Amino acid sequence: MEIIDSIVELRHYLDSKRAERMSIGLVPTMGALHEGHAELVKESVRSCDLTACSIFVNPTQFNNPDDLLKYPKQLEKDLELLTMVGCDVVFIPSVDEMYPDQEKTITINFGQLENLLEGAFRPGHFSGVGVVVSKLLNVVQPDLAFFGQKDLQQLAVIRKLVKDLNIQSKIVSVPTVREKSGLAMSSRNLRLSEREAVVAANLYRVIDSVKTKILAGEQVLSGLTSAKVELEKIEGIELEYLDIVNSDTMSKVEELSEALNISICLAAYVGGVRLIDNLYIKQEN
Ligand code: PAF
Protein backbone atom coordinates (compact mmCIF):
# COMPACT_ATOMS: atom_id res chain seq x y z
CA MET A 1 0.00 0.00 0.00
CA GLU A 2 1.30 3.44 -0.98
CA ILE A 3 1.34 6.10 1.75
CA ILE A 4 1.18 9.67 0.45
CA ASP A 5 0.98 12.96 2.37
CA SER A 6 1.12 15.55 -0.42
CA ILE A 7 -1.68 16.59 -2.77
CA VAL A 8 0.70 17.02 -5.72
CA GLU A 9 2.13 13.55 -5.22
CA LEU A 10 -1.31 11.96 -4.82
CA ARG A 11 -2.59 13.63 -8.01
CA HIS A 12 0.49 12.45 -9.88
CA TYR A 13 0.04 8.86 -8.63
CA LEU A 14 -3.69 8.78 -9.46
CA ASP A 15 -3.18 10.36 -12.92
CA SER A 16 -0.82 7.51 -13.80
CA LYS A 17 -3.46 4.97 -12.70
CA ARG A 18 -6.20 6.77 -14.65
CA ALA A 19 -3.94 6.67 -17.71
CA GLU A 20 -4.05 2.86 -17.34
CA ARG A 21 -7.87 3.20 -17.44
CA MET A 22 -8.25 2.12 -13.82
CA SER A 23 -11.46 3.14 -12.02
CA ILE A 24 -10.91 4.79 -8.64
CA GLY A 25 -12.84 4.45 -5.38
CA LEU A 26 -12.40 6.87 -2.47
CA VAL A 27 -13.08 6.16 1.20
CA PRO A 28 -12.68 9.38 3.23
CA THR A 29 -12.07 8.80 6.96
CA MET A 30 -10.77 10.52 10.07
CA GLY A 31 -8.85 7.42 11.16
CA ALA A 32 -9.41 5.32 14.33
CA LEU A 33 -10.70 2.77 11.86
CA HIS A 34 -13.07 -0.06 12.75
CA GLU A 35 -15.12 -2.78 11.04
CA GLY A 36 -17.49 -0.13 9.65
CA HIS A 37 -14.63 1.54 7.74
CA ALA A 38 -13.37 -1.89 6.67
CA GLU A 39 -16.77 -2.48 5.02
CA LEU A 40 -16.48 0.81 3.10
CA VAL A 41 -13.04 -0.18 1.82
CA LYS A 42 -14.17 -3.72 0.94
CA GLU A 43 -17.12 -2.28 -1.00
CA SER A 44 -14.73 -0.01 -2.91
CA VAL A 45 -12.32 -2.89 -3.60
CA ARG A 46 -15.25 -4.92 -5.00
CA SER A 47 -16.46 -2.05 -7.22
CA CYS A 48 -13.29 -0.25 -8.39
CA ASP A 49 -9.86 -1.15 -9.81
CA LEU A 50 -8.07 1.04 -7.27
CA THR A 51 -9.07 2.08 -3.77
CA ALA A 52 -7.80 5.27 -2.14
CA CYS A 53 -8.50 5.99 1.50
CA SER A 54 -7.85 9.29 3.29
CA ILE A 55 -7.08 9.70 6.98
CA PHE A 56 -7.49 13.29 8.11
CA VAL A 57 -8.98 14.53 11.37
CA ASN A 58 -10.63 17.57 9.84
CA PRO A 59 -10.50 20.49 12.31
CA THR A 60 -13.11 22.59 10.47
CA GLN A 61 -15.91 20.12 11.23
CA PHE A 62 -15.42 20.15 15.02
CA ASN A 63 -17.50 22.81 16.73
CA ASN A 64 -16.26 21.54 20.11
CA PRO A 65 -12.45 21.96 20.56
CA ASP A 66 -12.43 19.33 23.31
CA ASP A 67 -14.00 16.78 20.95
CA LEU A 68 -11.27 17.50 18.38
CA LEU A 69 -8.55 17.12 21.02
CA LYS A 70 -9.99 13.82 22.26
CA TYR A 71 -10.57 12.33 18.81
CA PRO A 72 -8.83 8.93 18.96
CA LYS A 73 -5.66 8.41 16.90
CA GLN A 74 -4.12 5.00 16.09
CA LEU A 75 -2.28 5.38 12.81
CA GLU A 76 -0.30 2.12 12.89
CA LYS A 77 -3.39 0.01 13.55
CA ASP A 78 -5.25 1.93 10.83
CA LEU A 79 -2.54 1.19 8.28
CA GLU A 80 -2.59 -2.51 9.22
CA LEU A 81 -6.36 -2.68 8.76
CA LEU A 82 -6.23 -0.84 5.41
CA THR A 83 -3.52 -3.17 4.12
CA MET A 84 -5.53 -6.20 5.21
CA VAL A 85 -8.71 -5.14 3.41
CA GLY A 86 -6.96 -4.29 0.14
CA CYS A 87 -6.63 -0.50 0.11
CA ASP A 88 -4.10 0.55 -2.58
CA VAL A 89 -3.17 4.05 -1.46
CA VAL A 90 -3.69 6.02 1.73
CA PHE A 91 -3.57 9.80 1.79
CA ILE A 92 -2.55 11.26 5.17
CA PRO A 93 -2.20 15.02 4.75
CA SER A 94 -1.24 17.50 7.47
CA VAL A 95 -3.58 20.34 8.45
CA ASP A 96 -1.29 22.77 6.55
CA GLU A 97 -1.48 20.64 3.42
CA MET A 98 -5.30 20.72 3.48
CA TYR A 99 -5.74 24.26 4.81
CA PRO A 100 -2.76 26.42 3.79
CA ASP A 101 -4.90 29.53 4.45
CA GLN A 102 -5.90 28.28 7.92
CA GLU A 103 -8.89 30.18 9.27
CA LYS A 104 -9.49 32.00 5.97
CA THR A 105 -10.92 28.84 4.42
CA ILE A 106 -14.32 29.17 2.73
CA THR A 107 -17.54 28.00 4.35
CA ILE A 108 -20.55 26.31 2.76
CA ASN A 109 -24.18 26.92 3.68
CA PHE A 110 -26.39 23.87 3.20
CA GLY A 111 -29.55 25.86 4.05
CA GLN A 112 -32.27 24.07 5.99
CA LEU A 113 -30.24 20.81 6.13
CA GLU A 114 -27.81 22.40 8.55
CA ASN A 115 -30.43 23.72 10.95
CA LEU A 116 -31.92 20.31 11.67
CA LEU A 117 -30.80 17.41 13.92
CA GLU A 118 -26.97 17.31 13.92
CA GLY A 119 -26.83 20.78 12.35
CA ALA A 120 -28.82 22.32 15.19
CA PHE A 121 -26.48 20.89 17.83
CA ARG A 122 -23.19 21.26 15.93
CA PRO A 123 -23.11 24.72 14.31
CA GLY A 124 -20.65 24.85 11.41
CA HIS A 125 -20.15 21.08 11.37
CA PHE A 126 -21.62 20.44 7.93
CA SER A 127 -19.83 23.40 6.40
CA GLY A 128 -16.55 21.81 7.57
CA VAL A 129 -17.60 18.39 6.24
CA GLY A 130 -18.65 19.97 2.93
CA VAL A 131 -15.35 21.82 2.50
CA VAL A 132 -13.12 18.84 3.28
CA VAL A 133 -15.17 16.40 1.19
CA SER A 134 -15.16 18.86 -1.75
CA LYS A 135 -11.37 19.10 -1.47
CA LEU A 136 -10.94 15.32 -1.33
CA LEU A 137 -13.31 14.72 -4.26
CA ASN A 138 -11.47 17.41 -6.22
CA VAL A 139 -8.03 16.03 -5.51
CA VAL A 140 -8.86 12.33 -5.99
CA GLN A 141 -11.63 12.66 -8.62
CA PRO A 142 -12.92 9.19 -7.79
CA ASP A 143 -15.49 7.36 -9.89
CA LEU A 144 -17.18 6.26 -6.67
CA ALA A 145 -16.92 7.65 -3.11
CA PHE A 146 -18.10 5.55 -0.16
CA PHE A 147 -19.79 6.84 3.01
CA GLY A 148 -21.45 5.04 5.93
CA GLN A 149 -25.18 5.16 6.48
CA LYS A 150 -24.49 5.75 10.18
CA ASP A 151 -23.89 9.42 9.36
CA LEU A 152 -27.23 9.74 7.61
CA GLN A 153 -27.42 13.53 7.59
CA GLN A 154 -23.81 13.73 6.38
CA LEU A 155 -24.87 11.52 3.47
CA ALA A 156 -27.72 13.91 2.63
CA VAL A 157 -25.32 16.87 2.82
CA ILE A 158 -22.75 15.18 0.57
CA ARG A 159 -25.40 14.15 -1.97
CA LYS A 160 -26.54 17.79 -2.11
CA LEU A 161 -22.93 19.01 -2.47
CA VAL A 162 -22.24 16.65 -5.36
CA LYS A 163 -25.53 17.50 -7.09
CA ASP A 164 -25.31 21.28 -6.66
CA LEU A 165 -21.63 21.51 -7.67
CA ASN A 166 -21.97 19.05 -10.59
CA ILE A 167 -19.28 16.83 -9.15
CA GLN A 168 -19.07 13.68 -11.25
CA SER A 169 -18.21 11.16 -8.52
CA LYS A 170 -21.06 8.81 -7.59
CA ILE A 171 -21.84 8.66 -3.85
CA VAL A 172 -22.35 5.13 -2.51
CA SER A 173 -23.85 4.58 0.94
CA VAL A 174 -22.90 1.50 2.92
CA PRO A 175 -25.06 0.03 5.75
CA THR A 176 -24.06 0.60 9.37
CA VAL A 177 -21.95 -2.15 10.94
CA ARG A 178 -22.93 -3.02 14.52
CA GLU A 179 -21.37 -4.69 17.53
CA LYS A 180 -23.07 -7.93 18.64
CA SER A 181 -24.96 -5.80 21.18
CA GLY A 182 -26.41 -3.70 18.36
CA LEU A 183 -24.27 -0.64 19.19
CA ALA A 184 -23.35 1.11 15.94
CA MET A 185 -19.60 0.95 15.31
CA SER A 186 -17.96 4.34 15.73
CA SER A 187 -14.44 5.59 16.38
CA ARG A 188 -15.91 7.29 19.45
CA ASN A 189 -16.77 3.88 20.99
CA LEU A 190 -13.07 3.61 21.88
CA ARG A 191 -13.76 6.26 24.52
CA LEU A 192 -16.52 4.22 26.20
CA SER A 193 -15.81 2.04 29.24
CA GLU A 194 -17.11 -1.54 29.13
CA ARG A 195 -20.08 -0.54 31.28
CA GLU A 196 -20.81 2.53 29.14
CA ALA A 197 -20.75 0.38 26.00
CA VAL A 198 -23.42 -1.84 27.57
CA VAL A 199 -25.54 1.23 28.42
CA ALA A 200 -25.00 2.63 24.89
CA ALA A 201 -26.39 -0.55 23.31
CA ASN A 202 -29.82 0.59 24.58
CA LEU A 203 -29.80 3.31 21.91
CA TYR A 204 -30.09 0.72 19.14
CA ARG A 205 -32.45 -1.50 21.13
CA VAL A 206 -34.91 1.36 21.61
CA ILE A 207 -34.88 2.69 18.02
CA ASP A 208 -35.19 -0.84 16.67
CA SER A 209 -38.23 -1.46 18.86
CA VAL A 210 -39.87 1.88 17.79
CA LYS A 211 -39.28 0.91 14.17
CA THR A 212 -40.97 -2.46 14.70
CA LYS A 213 -43.94 -0.88 16.50
CA ILE A 214 -44.44 1.81 13.85
CA LEU A 215 -44.24 -0.70 11.02
CA ALA A 216 -46.87 -2.73 12.91
CA GLY A 217 -49.23 0.27 12.88
CA GLU A 218 -48.38 2.43 15.90
CA GLN A 219 -48.65 6.19 15.24
CA VAL A 220 -45.28 7.89 14.60
CA LEU A 221 -45.71 10.45 17.39
CA SER A 222 -46.84 7.94 20.00
CA GLY A 223 -43.94 5.58 19.15
CA LEU A 224 -41.53 8.49 19.42
CA THR A 225 -42.90 9.71 22.75
CA SER A 226 -42.71 6.31 24.43
CA ALA A 227 -39.15 5.79 23.11
CA LYS A 228 -38.06 9.16 24.54
CA VAL A 229 -39.58 8.31 27.90
CA GLU A 230 -37.82 4.94 27.89
CA LEU A 231 -34.41 6.39 26.95
CA GLU A 232 -34.68 9.20 29.46
CA LYS A 233 -35.24 6.63 32.23
CA ILE A 234 -31.98 4.78 31.49
CA GLU A 235 -29.22 5.88 33.84
CA GLY A 236 -26.11 7.05 31.96
CA ILE A 237 -27.91 8.16 28.79
CA GLU A 238 -28.43 11.84 28.12
CA LEU A 239 -30.63 12.14 25.06
CA GLU A 240 -29.97 15.09 22.74
CA TYR A 241 -32.58 14.37 20.08
CA LEU A 242 -34.72 11.53 18.83
CA ASP A 243 -36.75 12.18 15.70
CA ILE A 244 -38.46 10.44 12.81
CA VAL A 245 -37.54 12.27 9.63
CA ASN A 246 -37.55 12.31 5.85
CA SER A 247 -34.14 10.67 5.17
CA ASP A 248 -33.40 13.05 2.29
CA THR A 249 -34.31 16.40 3.87
CA MET A 250 -34.09 15.53 7.60
CA SER A 251 -37.40 17.33 8.22
CA LYS A 252 -39.72 15.70 10.77
CA VAL A 253 -42.57 13.49 9.59
CA GLU A 254 -45.69 12.52 11.48
CA GLU A 255 -47.11 9.98 9.03
CA LEU A 256 -45.35 7.22 7.09
CA SER A 257 -47.17 8.43 3.95
CA GLU A 258 -45.37 11.83 4.08
CA ALA A 259 -42.12 10.69 2.38
CA LEU A 260 -40.67 7.81 0.40
CA ASN A 261 -37.64 7.46 2.64
CA ILE A 262 -38.11 7.73 6.39
CA SER A 263 -35.63 7.15 9.22
CA ILE A 264 -35.45 7.32 12.96
CA CYS A 265 -32.38 9.28 14.12
CA LEU A 266 -30.90 10.02 17.51
CA ALA A 267 -27.97 11.61 19.28
CA ALA A 268 -27.15 11.01 22.93
CA TYR A 269 -24.28 11.33 25.37
CA VAL A 270 -23.08 8.23 27.19
CA GLY A 271 -20.26 8.81 29.70
CA GLY A 272 -19.52 12.19 28.08
CA VAL A 273 -19.19 10.64 24.61
CA ARG A 274 -21.57 11.89 21.94
CA LEU A 275 -23.05 9.02 19.91
CA ILE A 276 -25.43 9.04 16.95
CA ASP A 277 -27.45 6.26 15.35
CA ASN A 278 -30.30 5.80 12.91
CA LEU A 279 -32.41 3.15 11.22
CA TYR A 280 -34.35 3.31 7.99
CA ILE A 281 -38.05 2.81 8.73
CA LYS A 282 -38.79 2.66 5.02
CA GLN A 283 -36.61 3.14 1.98
CA GLU A 284 -38.48 3.29 -1.32
CA ASN A 285 -36.05 5.07 -3.65
O1 PAF B 1 -17.44 10.64 8.36
C1 PAF B 1 -16.27 11.04 8.57
O2 PAF B 1 -15.41 10.34 9.07
C2 PAF B 1 -15.93 12.48 8.20
O3 PAF B 1 -17.01 13.34 8.46
C3 PAF B 1 -15.43 12.64 6.76
C4 PAF B 1 -16.50 12.28 5.74
C5 PAF B 1 -14.20 11.77 6.55
C6 PAF B 1 -15.02 14.10 6.52
O4 PAF B 1 -14.02 14.51 7.38
Side-chain angles (χ1 to χ4, degrees), residues 2 25 120 152 174 187 204-205 235 271 278:
E2 298 282 333
L152 191 69
V174 177
S187 307
Y204 170 74
R205 183 183 59 74
E235 210 186 308
N278 67 78

Side-chain angles (χ1 to χ4, degrees), residues 28-30 58 61 129 132-133 147 151 154:
T29 82
M30 298 205 296
N58 173 35
Q61 71 187 76
V129 170
V132 83
V133 171
F147 295 88
D151 293 290
Q154 171 170 283

